[in-house]
């Protein structure tokens, strides 16, 4: 087995919510413990995992927490990002909202506005259940329980036949090295179809995602028209990203990692 194949399996193990211990991984892949430690160090350097004593776990930033865990983290920053995003929306526009906790806050900020909202998120759609003004389209697809998102072939086919004024796109990582990323291939593929369906691409993410080098690229930074984030992150990471894409920074409150 090649090193990259081994790392992919380790990543999948962590994404399932399990811990990875050096000794167990050494036996599983029939390689030395020093080889496993080297693999884990390289993966941590890429922002994909978090090293622990004797092994590794899924980090709060590079991989996925449960939707409920994400929803309560960085809530103040996400609310500020959402307010800034909603302020960019013109009445009568057709919008595409990605699944995610930040886009969920955008949905709440759009209640009562005369707009059309299409989404890959059941949670976003439910925000408008009793809203008599917003027209809501729920795109079909395979339901991913971890992210509460609709993805895959059906979703992609529907998106190929639609066009929107703006998309508000979430991400697990944004960096100069790997651009806009997510940990899962199927999520990345559907997100790429989403951004192709919109005239203006706006990435919304709290500052804990800045500088994170994820596994699967969604798009390059030059495909993004605007990045909205908060001011609680690493200044160097933010400044490096600002050289490649227009960034709007909002107050982030106390913050916290996601």
């Amino acid at each position: 087995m090649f090193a990259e194949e081994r790392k992919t399996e380790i990543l999948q193990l962590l994404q399932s919510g399990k811990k990875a211990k050096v000794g167990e991984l050494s036996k599983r892949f029939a390689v030395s413990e020093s080889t496993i430690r080297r693999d884990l160090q390289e993966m941590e350097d890429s922002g994909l995992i978090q090293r622990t004593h004797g092994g590794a776990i899924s980090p709060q930033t590079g991989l996925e927490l449960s939707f409920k865990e994400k929803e309560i983290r960085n809530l103040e920053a996400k609310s500020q990002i959402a307010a800034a995003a909603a302020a960019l929306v013109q009445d009568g526009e057709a919008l595409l909202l990605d699944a995610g906790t930040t886009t969920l806050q955008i949905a709440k900020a759009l209640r009562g506005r005369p707009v059309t909202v299409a989404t890959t998120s059941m949670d976003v759609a439910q925000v408008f259940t009793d809203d008599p003004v917003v027209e809501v389209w729920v795109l079909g697809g395979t339901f991913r329980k971890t992210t509460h998102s609709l993805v895959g072939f059906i979703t992609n086919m529907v998106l190929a036949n639609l066009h929107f004024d703006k998309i508000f796109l979430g991400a697990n990582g944004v960096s100069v090295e790997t651009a806009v990323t997510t940990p899962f291939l199927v999520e990345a593929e559907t997100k790429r179809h989403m951004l192709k369906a919109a005239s203006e691409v706006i990435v919304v993410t709290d500052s804990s995602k800045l500088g994170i080098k994820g596994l699967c690229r969604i798009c390059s930074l030059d495909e993004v028209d605007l990045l909205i984030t908060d001011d609680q992150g690493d200044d160097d990471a933010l400044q490096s990203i600002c050289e490649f894409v227009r960034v709007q920074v909002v107050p982030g409150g106390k913050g916290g990692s996601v």
Side-chain angles (χ1 to χ4, degrees):
M1 178 180 289
F2 293 109
E4 291 307 313
E5 294 176 308
R6 191 167 58 242
K7 292 176 189 176
T8 297
E9 285 199 27
I10 294 172
L11 194 58
Q12 290 172 344
L13 178 68
L14 293 175
Q15 287 170 351
S16 70
K18 299 177 181 178
K19 295 181 180 180
K21 296 182 178 180
V22 170
E24 293 175 357
L25 293 174
S26 175
K27 293 178 181 178
R28 177 171 178 165
F29 297 112
V31 296
S32 67
E33 292 191 0
S34 61
T35 296
I36 293 297
R37 291 191 185 93
R38 183 168 62 250
D39 287 345
L40 297 180
Q41 185 61 57
E42 291 174 356
M43 293 172 74
E44 183 178 53
D45 291 343
S46 296
L48 297 174
I49 67 168
Q50 179 180 325
R51 293 287 303 277
T52 63
H53 179 69
I57 59 173
S58 166
Q60 292 179 330
T61 49
L63 303 176
E64 292 183 313
L65 301 175
S66 73
F67 191 89
K68 287 296 182 183
E69 287 175 307
K70 291 178 181 179
E71 190 172 8
I72 63 175
R73 292 173 180 265
N74 265 0
L75 184 58
E76 185 175 347
K78 292 173 182 178
S79 297
Q80 294 287 349
I81 292 169
L88 300 174
V89 174
Q90 302 296 315
D91 289 351
E93 285 191 324
L95 311 171
L96 183 53
L97 289 188
D98 193 7
T101 54
T102 303
T103 50
L104 181 62
Q105 294 303 314
I106 295 175
K108 294 176 181 179
L110 289 172
R111 282 177 53 86
R113 296 282 301 275
V115 294
T116 297
V117 173
T119 184
T120 55
S121 166
M122 299 298 293
D123 298 276
V124 167
Q126 289 176 351
V127 169
F128 305 107
T129 298
D130 59 352
D131 190 314
V133 180
V134 177
E135 181 176 350
V136 182
W137 301 358
V138 180
L139 306 180
T142 301
F143 182 65
R144 289 202 67 236
K145 295 179 181 179
T146 308
T147 57
H148 291 195
S149 60
L150 296 165
V151 298
F153 177 77
I154 296 173
T155 318
N156 301 343
M157 287 294 291
V158 172
L159 286 165
N161 293 283
L162 297 174
H163 180 266
F164 303 93
D165 296 297
K166 293 181 175 71
I167 176 176
F168 293 102
L169 187 74
N172 292 73
V174 180
S175 70
V176 172
E177 293 82 2
T178 58
V180 184
T181 56
T182 181
F184 290 97
L185 283 172
V186 66
E187 292 268 7
E189 183 179 12
T190 292
K191 286 173 184 283
R192 283 195 292 269
H193 279 81
M194 291 176 74
L195 67 90
K196 290 178 182 178
S199 294
E200 187 175 3
V201 177
I202 302 171
V203 173
V204 288
T205 182
D206 67 80
S207 58
S208 70
K209 313 292 180 59
L210 303 185
I212 296 299
K213 294 174 280 188
L215 182 64
C216 305
R217 175 180 286 203
I218 300 168
C219 63
S220 61
L221 292 177
D222 60 12
E223 293 177 90
V224 178
D225 296 292
L226 177 66
L227 169 68
I228 306 178
T229 190
D230 64 83
D231 62 0
Q232 298 298 303
D234 180 81
D235 287 339
D236 290 337
L238 177 61
Q239 290 303 315
S240 64
I241 292 169
C242 285
E243 295 180 12
F244 295 90
V245 64
R246 185 163 64 95
V247 178
Q248 180 177 349
V249 181
V250 301
K254 294 181 181 180
S257 60
V258 176

